[in-house]
């Protein structure tokens, strides 16, 4: 698998962890692992395998069931399971959350599993537990156009307390002001403009959680005439596109 | 020695020469700062009901508590974080540390207005809060607990009505109070985390006088990530620490709150203001029926009806300018004629007195010819005042934005262009409200095509000369429309070639409708009339005399017509005698005099120049008389009218008997009239315009492009129209 550039926090060296993992998988499948199979899976010569096996055996992680036939000690099995869990968690993260292909996710996981500390793993487990109860976060990330642009903030209004307030729970509820029709009312969720325009909009009092009323539109639909915090403002489409809103309840 | 201390030649400044007590007026756009400035100082600065009227700092004098004070009116600004050039003016003025800053707030828009107050407090200024438009707030049913507000903010708060001057005395007293007991520490509460971050950054700021505003404000700006300021601070000794600390604090706050820092700071600031208002304001009762203003806007700003209504409003203004102006114009015309005749009659008939000629042909024909159109000018400005003061102008900008956008201009370009109908110079100044330099240049360069007030006398002279009464208003409207159309086309061309670039954002506030007060309209009218009269009495008078001289000298030693009479080729008809004279030309005495006058004129300096240039302009249908008049028009457009008056007064014995218009109609075809109007509309803007373009663009290049570009276009247009017209007619 992929060599990791980082130092290995565990007591075991990184190639040994990989061997342990391979042996674990083979044992799961066949009930035992043979040097030949290990060499094949790791794409190395049998002689190389023997050296590593000796080290693993000295650490009390593997034992020889018969000549050539290798099994895992209890300690070895536990260590292997730990590594595998990390591998699976990371693969899942890259694949399901970040949306990478299964192959790329697997490779990335291999590169990172050795350097993941216990704390990080614990957090990740908790994150997936959270996802189990609130999958909308990931859905929103996948659906939000902002999610895939570099340099943008998280699309979910991280300041909002409850998920009910999160406009992104309902895809159709999140839109830009330019999609509103005269007479409609909405609540600002996010200002996606940057630089001077964002500052100008903020100065005008267009902040998250303020209400916007669209009064009317100019000839041909634009500019929009909106009312916000008691002031009446004209906005062009380009500016209105920069204000994301949800339907007012 | 006491003498040296008093001597004005001394180089070293006098020790502690008391600086003038200075009061700056700051606030959001359109909150009434200039109205207040006028009320305080008695000045007559331009006031109108749309944001962005004032673009330059203005100063005036006023007495506070018996001692003189300097009042500074500033361009409006939504916040001190802004980027447009005229909003930066306010920041620079605050940095020069006025003694008291009057923060003018629109009582109906307190949230946003008080955010600016918070920022000004952060700069370490010594503010007084002025709650303006108290009348509107009262009418809407909003009540404010001023005493409570004073206590919570820890600074003097007064309610005013700037347009009537009510509350101004209290404001003066409050300014005095503030100057006697400057605010020590402001009471703005933004929350521990943000305040902690601000304090942490300001701790690291170098103790350096080079920082423009207070450490607190600098810290806020660094936190917000102001690139320019960060660079400046980083260059100071030990300044890098502060910039680094700001970055650290920003990252920390963003991580903790999950908000981007500008949004976070804005939320906290608005939050403080909301809290303050909850304590001090009884909001207007919710009325479900939509306000009158909204119902008016439903019609006026209608997506389909809006633009036709706007066209009709403009047409109505031109029509009134014409029809209502006609009668008073006639009075002034006959008055000028009467004065001319009375002055003339001081000399014996047929006198060659130079003084008589100067007074009658130069001054009265020239200046009088321009003064005649004063009523029209006033009516045009009355129309513009109506557009400005009611708030309709901002609606028109809203309606035309899409159109302007299509031509590469900005919706906000529209207001400077409308101002250009009055005078090009303030129009060009008003382009400062455009944030994008390229929008601004494009608007500036095409602005002279908006037919200004000075050109109105030309239209008033030429249109009735060549068009029947029912055609006059439509033709005037057409002249203006041609100017607008050409301005848009040229702007598009500029934006596609020399001034290519990004669009600037368009966020414009639409003010509520306001009833123009008689007083404010009258002040505008009188101010305009004064300007026009002053211009007539100075520039136009001087140029008239100059042109008169150029047209009177040098005088020919003898006249051809006399030589021909002596030679017997021409016979002067004797009244009553038989008019037959085999083969000879017979002329009346008056005709002979006219011939002499024409010869004089052609011999004069102006005549020669005119003749020299005439071949260049004859393809356009212009003769040498028009050419001489156009040279004068470079100084000021009205001079064209003055000049035509002088040309005909000197060169035509019939002048005075018939009106100038009749003479023009006699000498030129309507086609020449059309070609002439187009040329004068498009060609070289006046000197003042060139100068202000140079100043506002910062480059001679643009001013010269404007001068020559427009003149070439004018030449080609007139050439095309005249030559095509000749084929058709
Ligand atoms: N009803 C009412 N109208 C006011 C009052 N003060 C000013 N106005 C009107 O408000 C409009 C704006 O006034 P200005 O003095 O031009 O405002 P400004 O703050 O100088 O505006 P900018 O120069 O654009 O920043 C004008 O139409 C004034 O007549 C007031 O106290 N009551
Ligand atoms: Mg002003």
């Amino acid at each position: 698998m992929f060599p990791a550039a980082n130092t290995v926090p565990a007591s075991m060296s990184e190639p040994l962890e990989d061997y342990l993992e391979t042996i674990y998988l083979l044992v799961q499948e066949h009930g035992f692992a043979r040097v030949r199979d290990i060499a094949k899976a790791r794409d190395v010569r049998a002689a190389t395998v023997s050296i590593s096996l000796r080290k693993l055996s000295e650490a009390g992680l593997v034992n020889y069931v018969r000549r050539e036939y290798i099994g895992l000690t209890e300690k070895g099995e536990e260590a292997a399971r730990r590594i595998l869990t990390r591998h699976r968690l990371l693969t899942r993260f890259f694949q399901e959350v970040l949306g990478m292909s299964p192959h790329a996710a697997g490779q990335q996981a291999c590169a990172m599993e050795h350097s993941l500390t216990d704390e990080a793993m614990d957090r990740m487990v908790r994150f997936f537990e959270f996802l189990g109860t609130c999958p909308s976060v990931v859905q929103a990330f996948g659906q939000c156009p902002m999610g895939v642009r570099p340099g943008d903030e998280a699309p979910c209004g991280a300041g909002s307390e409850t998920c009910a307030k999160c406009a992104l729970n309902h895809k159709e509820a999140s839109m830009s002001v330019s999609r509103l029709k005269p007479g409609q009312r909405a609540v600002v969720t996010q200002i996606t403009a940057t630089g001077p325009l964002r500052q100008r909009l903020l100065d005008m009092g267009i902040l998250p959680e303020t209400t916007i009323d669209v009064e009317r539109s100019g000839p041909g639909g634009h500019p929009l005439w909106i009312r916000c915090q008691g002031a009446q403002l004209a906005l062009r489409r380009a500016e209105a596109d920069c204000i994301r809103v949800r339907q007012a309840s | 020695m006491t003498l040296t201390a008093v001597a004005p030649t001394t180089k070293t400044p006098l020790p502690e020469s008391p600086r003038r007590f200075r009061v700056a007026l700051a606030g959001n756009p359109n909150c009434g700062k200039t109205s207040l400035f006028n009320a305080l100082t008695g000045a007559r600065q331009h006031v109108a009901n749309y944001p962005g009227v004032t673009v330059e700092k203005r100063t005036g004098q006023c007495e506070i508590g018996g001692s003189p004070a300097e009042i500074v009116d500033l361009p409006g600004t939504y916040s001190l974080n802004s980027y447009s050039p005229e909003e930066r003016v306010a920041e620079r003025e605050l940095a020069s540390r006025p003694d008291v800053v009057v923060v003018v707030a629109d009582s109906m828009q307190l949230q946003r207005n008080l955010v600016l107050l918070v920022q000004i407090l952060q700069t370490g200024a010594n503010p007084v809060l002025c709650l303006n438009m108290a009348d509107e707030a009262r009418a809407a049913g909003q009540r404010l607990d001023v005493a409570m507000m004073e206590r919570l903010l820890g600074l003097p708060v007064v309610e005013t009505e700037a347009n009537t001057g009510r509350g101004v005395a209290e404001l003066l007293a409050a300014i005095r109070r503030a100057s006697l007991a400057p605010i020590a520490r402001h009471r703005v509460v933004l929350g521990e985390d943000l305040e902690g971050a601000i304090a942490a950054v300001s701790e690291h700021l170098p103790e350096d006088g080079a920082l423009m505003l207070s450490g607190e404000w600098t810290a806020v700006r660094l936190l917000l990530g102001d690139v320019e300021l960060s660079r400046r601070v980083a260059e100071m000794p030990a300044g890098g620490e502060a910039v680094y600390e700001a970055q650290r604090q920003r990252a920390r706050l963003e991580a903790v709150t999950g908000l981007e820092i500008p949004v976070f700071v804005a939320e906290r600031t608005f939050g403080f203001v909301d809290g303050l208002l909850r304590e001090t304001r009884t909001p207007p009762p919710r009325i479900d029926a939509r306000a009158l203003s909204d119902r008016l806007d439903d019609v006026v700003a209608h997506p389909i009806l809006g633009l036709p209504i706007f066209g009709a409003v403009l047409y109505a203004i031109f029509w009134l300018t014409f029809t209502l102006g006609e009668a008073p114009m006639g009075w002034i015309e006959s008055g000028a004629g009467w004065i001319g005749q009375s002055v003339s009659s001081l000399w014996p008939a047929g006198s060659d007195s130079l003084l008589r000629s100067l007074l009658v042909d130069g001054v009265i024909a020239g200046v009088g010819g321009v003064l005649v159109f004063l009523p029209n000018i006033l009516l045009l400005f009355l129309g513009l005042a109506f557009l400005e003061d009611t708030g309709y102008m901002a609606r028109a900008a809203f309606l035309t934005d899409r159109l302007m956008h299509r031509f590469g201009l900005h919706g906000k370009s529209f207001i400077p262009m409308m101002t250009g109908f009055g005078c090009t110079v303030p129009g060009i100044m008003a382009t400062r409200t455009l944030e994008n330099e390229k929008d601004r240049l494009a608007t500036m360069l095409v602005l002279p095509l908006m037919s200004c007030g000075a050109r109105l006398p030309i239209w008033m002279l030429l249109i009735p000369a060549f068009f029947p009464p029912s055609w006059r208003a439509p033709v005037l409207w057409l002249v203006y429309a041609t100017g607008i159309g050409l301005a848009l086309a040229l702007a598009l061309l500029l934006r596609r070639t020399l001034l290519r670039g990004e669009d600037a954002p368009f966020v414009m506030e639409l003010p509520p409708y306001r009833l123009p007060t008689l007083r404010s309209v009258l002040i505008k009218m009188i101010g305009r009339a004064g300007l026009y009269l002053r211009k007539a009495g100075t520039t136009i008078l001087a140029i008239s005399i100059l042109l008169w001289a150029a047209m009177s000298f040098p005088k020919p030693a003898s006249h051809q017509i006399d030589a021909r009479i002596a030679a017997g080729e021409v016979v002067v008809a004797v009244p009553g005698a038989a008019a037959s004279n085999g083969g000879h030309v017979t002329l009346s005495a008056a005709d002979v005099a006219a011939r002499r006058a024409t010869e004089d004129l052609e011999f004069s300096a102006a005549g020669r120049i005119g003749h020299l240039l005439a071949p260049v302009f004859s393809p356009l249908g212009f003769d040498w008389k028009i050419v001489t008049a156009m040279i004068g028009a470079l100084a000021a457009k009205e001079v064209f009218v003055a000049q035509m008056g002088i040309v005909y007064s000197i060169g035509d014995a019939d002048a005075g008997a018939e009106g100038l218009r009749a003479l023009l109609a006699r000498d030129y075809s309507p086609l020449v009239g059309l070609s002439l109007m187009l040329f004068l509309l498009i060609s070289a803007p006046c000197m003042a315009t060139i100068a202000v373009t140079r100043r506002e663009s910062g480059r001679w290049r643009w001013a010269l492009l404007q001068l020559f570009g427009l003149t070439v276009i004018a030449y080609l247009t007139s050439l095309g129209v005249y030559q095509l017209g000749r084929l058709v007619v």
Side-chain angles (χ1 to χ4, degrees):
Chain A
M1 293 193 186
F2 266 58
N6 300 36
T7 51
V8 182
S11 56
M12 218 184 318
S13 75
E14 181 193 319
L16 287 188
E17 282 193 334
D18 283 341
Y19 277 117
L20 203 59
E21 201 179 340
T22 312
I23 294 166
Y24 181 78
L25 289 173
L26 287 170
V27 169
Q28 291 288 306
E29 205 175 325
H30 308 292
F32 55 80
R34 290 182 306 180
V35 175
R36 223 182 316 151
D37 295 329
I38 300 171
K40 209 171 135 205
R42 311 280 320 142
D43 197 18
V44 290
R45 280 183 293 126
T48 327
V49 177
S50 304
I51 301 167
S52 301
L53 281 179
R54 204 179 312 132
K55 285 186 186 159
L56 286 172
S57 153
E58 278 161 15
L61 297 170
V62 298
N63 51 19
Y64 287 84
V65 181
R66 263 182 287 157
R67 231 179 75 87
E68 281 271 308
Y69 291 78
I70 299 148
L72 288 168
T73 60
E74 230 173 65
K75 197 175 148 201
E77 203 172 308
E78 197 199 306
R81 220 181 282 122
R82 227 179 62 131
I83 298 163
L84 208 63
T85 315
R86 291 166 193 229
H87 180 82
R88 289 197 176 129
L89 271 176
L90 284 168
T91 310
R92 217 180 127 195
F93 181 75
F94 288 120
Q95 195 179 332
E96 290 178 23
V97 179
L98 299 190
M100 289 165 67
S101 74
H103 179 69
Q107 283 194 333
Q108 189 62 44
C110 276
M112 286 173 70
E113 65 199 17
H114 308 292
S115 53
L116 202 68
T117 62
D118 286 345
E119 189 200 351
M121 181 158 123
D122 181 49
R123 291 282 165 158
M124 195 161 274
V125 170
R126 279 206 252 162
F127 175 66
F128 279 108
E129 276 170 8
F130 169 70
L131 274 194
T133 57
C134 185
S136 57
V137 173
V138 173
Q139 281 168 19
F141 178 67
Q143 289 157 352
C144 177
M146 305 296 306
V148 289
R149 276 216 317 252
D152 283 317
E153 288 295 304
C156 171
S160 60
E161 285 89 0
T162 64
C163 288
K165 263 177 134 181
C166 174
L168 296 157
N169 270 341
H170 325 278
K171 190 185 176 198
E172 71 281 6
S174 165
M175 55 188 157
S176 71
V177 167
S178 60
R179 297 263 298 282
L180 295 177
K181 298 266 168 307
Q184 284 189 318
R185 162 176 294 197
V187 177
V188 178
T189 54
Q190 195 195 3
I191 315 282
T192 60
T194 52
L197 176 59
R198 177 172 55 187
Q199 192 61 54
R200 167 54 51 97
L201 293 173
L202 293 174
D203 291 341
M204 293 293 216
I206 301 178
L207 298 174
E209 297 306 311
T210 53
T211 305
I212 282 184
D213 286 295
V214 177
E215 294 280 326
R216 56 183 66 80
S217 62
H222 281 273
L224 282 183
W225 176 314
I226 65 164
R227 193 187 288 272
C228 179
Q229 306 233 16
Q232 310 198 72
L233 305 173
L235 300 174
R236 259 192 207 156
R237 170 174 284 159
E239 287 73 56
D241 274 338
C242 294
I243 305 171
R244 314 257 339 151
V245 291
R246 68 177 136 84
Q247 224 114 47
S249 44
Chain B
M1 280 175 58
T2 45
L3 249 180
T4 45
V6 182
T9 48
T10 174
K11 279 269 154 54
T12 48
L14 293 177
E16 54 183 84
S17 64
R19 198 172 68 109
R20 262 296 177 69
F21 183 75
R22 203 164 79 239
V23 179
L25 302 178
N28 278 192
N30 209 42
C31 66
K33 297 173 297 299
T34 305
S35 306
L36 200 61
F37 176 79
N38 289 346
L40 286 168
T41 63
R44 284 193 202 137
Q45 287 302 324
H46 194 75
V47 165
N49 189 20
Y50 60 82
V53 179
T54 310
V55 293
E56 264 189 324
K57 150 177 142 173
R58 297 264 174 211
T59 53
Q61 310 302 323
C62 162
E63 228 176 58
I64 298 176
S67 46
E70 191 174 60
I71 311 283
V72 185
D73 183 24
L74 293 172
T77 172
Y78 286 110
S79 92
L80 294 181
N81 295 319
S82 300
Y83 292 83
S84 78
E86 101 277 6
E87 287 180 306
R88 280 289 168 101
V89 174
E91 192 188 347
R92 229 172 301 132
E93 171 63 23
L94 287 175
S96 75
R97 305 232 152 264
D99 297 273
V100 174
V101 178
V102 176
V103 179
V104 186
D106 176 348
S107 297
M108 295 297 287
Q109 297 277 330
L110 280 177
Q111 270 114 334
R112 210 188 52 214
N113 279 263
L114 293 184
V115 165
L116 183 67
L117 171 72
V118 170
Q119 295 178 341
I120 288 176
L121 280 167
Q122 285 172 331
T123 67
N126 182 30
V128 166
L129 175 58
C130 168
L131 302 167
N132 195 34
M133 315 245 178
D135 52 332
E136 288 188 354
R138 202 174 319 116
Q142 171 183 272
R143 282 214 320 281
L144 290 169
D145 185 343
V146 174
M148 180 67 122
M149 219 181 245
E150 280 200 345
R151 213 166 36 248
L152 292 177
L153 285 169
L155 48 91
V157 181
V158 275
E159 286 185 299
T160 56
E161 287 164 35
N163 60 342
T164 59
R166 218 163 296 162
V168 167
E170 289 84 344
L171 177 64
L172 285 174
I175 293 173
R176 212 173 130 65
R177 255 194 296 150
S179 72
L180 294 178
I183 181 169
R185 241 196 84 67
H186 65 73
R187 300 180 189 171
V188 175
V189 182
L190 298 176
E192 245 168 65
D193 41 2
L194 181 53
E195 283 170 16
I198 294 172
V201 176
S202 25
E203 241 169 54
H204 285 82
L205 280 174
E207 291 279 333
D208 193 328
L211 280 179
M212 295 218 304
L213 292 161
S214 75
E216 181 178 0
W217 180 243
T218 311
V220 173
R221 285 289 282 267
L222 289 181
L223 273 178
L224 288 172
D226 183 320
V227 181
E228 197 194 312
L229 185 66
S230 297
R231 220 195 36 238
R232 263 210 342 259
V233 173
E235 279 165 7
M236 295 177 173
E241 276 301 298
V243 176
Y244 175 71
E245 180 65 24
Q247 277 166 4
R248 236 175 53 89
Q249 294 289 349
R250 181 164 68 232
R252 200 180 58 82
L253 284 176
E254 288 191 338
V256 171
T257 61
L259 291 173
E260 285 167 295
I261 205 87
V263 178
F264 176 61
V265 172
E267 280 193 347
R268 283 296 168 82
T269 317
F270 272 91
F272 169 74
V273 170
D274 277 341
L276 178 75
L277 288 176
R278 254 198 306 279
E279 299 284 320
T280 55
R281 179 173 67 167
T282 319
R286 272 241 172 277
I287 310 161
D288 272 341
R290 277 156 63 81
L292 178 67
S293 168
D294 287 319
R295 271 178 289 157
L296 199 57
D297 274 330
D298 283 344
V299 179
V300 164
H302 190 275
I304 295 160
L305 295 178
L307 279 176
I309 291 177
F310 176 58
V313 167
L314 280 191
Y315 184 80
I317 290 175
F318 298 138
W319 184 78
L320 285 176
T321 303
F322 237 108
T323 49
L324 286 187
E326 202 67 18
M329 199 173 99
W331 304 333
I332 301 182
E333 212 165 21
S334 44
W338 179 80
I339 294 175
Q341 266 157 19
S342 324
V343 171
S344 204
S345 67
L346 294 177
W347 282 269
S351 154
D352 262 349
S353 160
L354 268 183
L355 184 62
R356 188 204 71 92
S357 174
L358 172 64
L359 288 179
V360 177
D361 302 334
V363 176
I364 296 174
V367 176
V370 171
L371 282 186
V372 163
F373 299 106
L374 181 61
N376 305 98
I377 297 278
L378 288 184
L379 284 166
L380 176 71
F381 276 90
L382 181 69
L384 288 180
F386 165 79
L387 291 185
E388 284 180 355
D389 287 1
T390 51
Y392 186 57
M393 194 84 110
R395 270 80 184 167
F398 168 79
L399 287 169
T400 50
D401 174 63
R402 207 176 148 88
L403 189 76
M404 302 290 277
H405 195 54
R406 204 162 285 168
F407 285 96
L409 287 176
H410 197 265
K412 280 197 223 162
S413 308
F414 178 79
I415 291 177
M417 288 172 89
M418 288 296 289
T419 310
F421 281 149
C423 177
T424 311
V425 173
I428 288 178
M429 303 269 300
T431 60
R432 286 193 195 180
T433 52
L434 296 172
E435 282 145 59
N436 181 330
E437 197 54 30
K438 293 189 169 151
D439 279 333
R440 196 173 163 223
L441 271 174
T443 312
M444 205 183 287
L445 291 179
V446 304
L447 223 135
L449 288 168
M450 311 308 285
S451 170
C452 68
R455 270 172 274 189
L456 186 63
I458 302 179
W459 316 139
M460 302 309 292
L461 176 70
L462 295 181
I463 291 176
F466 299 113
F467 296 95
S470 59
W471 278 64
R472 288 172 189 169
V475 169
L476 183 64
W477 194 83
L478 209 66
V479 167
Y480 278 80
T482 308
I484 298 172
L486 212 59
L488 292 179
L490 282 183
L492 186 64
L493 186 71
L494 282 170
R495 289 290 265 143
R496 288 275 162 87
T497 55
L498 292 178
L499 298 171
R500 230 175 302 179
E502 286 281 294
D503 288 335
F506 174 72
V507 182
M508 188 186 63
E509 191 176 2
L510 296 141
Y513 284 109
R514 298 203 159 98
L515 218 53
T517 58
L518 187 64
R519 195 176 105 170
S520 77
V521 171
L522 274 183
I523 284 178
K524 274 186 196 178
M525 299 285 89
I526 294 168
R528 245 312 129 176
L531 273 184
Y532 193 73
L533 291 178
R534 202 170 324 136
K535 194 172 173 190
T538 52
T539 317
I540 292 171
L541 176 65
I543 294 172
S544 292
I545 293 173
L546 213 72
L547 288 175
W548 169 83
M551 273 185 256
S552 303
F553 304 102
K555 284 198 184 297
S558 62
H559 295 97
Q560 266 180 10
I561 189 83
D562 293 333
R564 287 173 74 191
I565 292 170
E569 284 172 40
V570 174
V571 173
V572 181
V574 181
S580 87
N581 211 323
H584 292 302
V585 183
T586 309
L587 291 175
S588 70
D591 281 343
V592 172
R595 288 287 179 96
R596 274 198 208 106
T598 310
E599 278 181 36
D600 278 349
L601 204 49
E602 288 179 6
F603 193 79
S604 72
R608 287 182 209 191
I609 295 171
H611 273 297
L612 204 67
L613 290 176
V616 181
F617 287 99
S618 63
L620 277 56
F622 305 165
D623 66 0
W624 65 274
K625 289 187 210 166
I626 294 179
V627 174
T628 45
M630 271 179 340
I631 296 169
L634 260 180
K637 290 280 175 183
E638 299 95 329
V639 170
F640 179 85
V641 173
Q643 177 88 343
M644 286 317 268
I646 298 171
V647 169
Y648 274 98
S649 184
I650 294 181
D652 205 304
D654 289 347
E658 287 175 79
L660 190 51
R661 283 168 177 171
L663 291 169
L664 288 172
R666 184 195 70 188
D667 285 359
Y668 303 106
S669 68
L671 185 59
V672 174
L674 188 67
S675 164
L676 181 57
M677 289 202 295
L678 281 173
F679 191 84
L680 287 169
L681 172 69
I682 307 166
S683 74
C686 68
M687 292 302 177
T689 302
I690 304 284
V692 80
T693 303
R694 152 78 185 82
R695 200 185 74 190
E696 294 292 308
S697 68
R699 293 265 168 98
W700 271 114
R701 215 169 69 199
W702 297 117
L704 293 178
L705 175 70
Q706 190 181 47
L707 174 62
F708 292 113
L710 289 178
T711 308
V712 167
I713 293 168
Y715 188 88
L716 295 178
T717 312
S718 288
L719 183 70
V721 166
Y722 185 67
Q723 294 302 336
L724 278 180
R726 279 220 312 195
L727 290 181
V728 175
V729 177

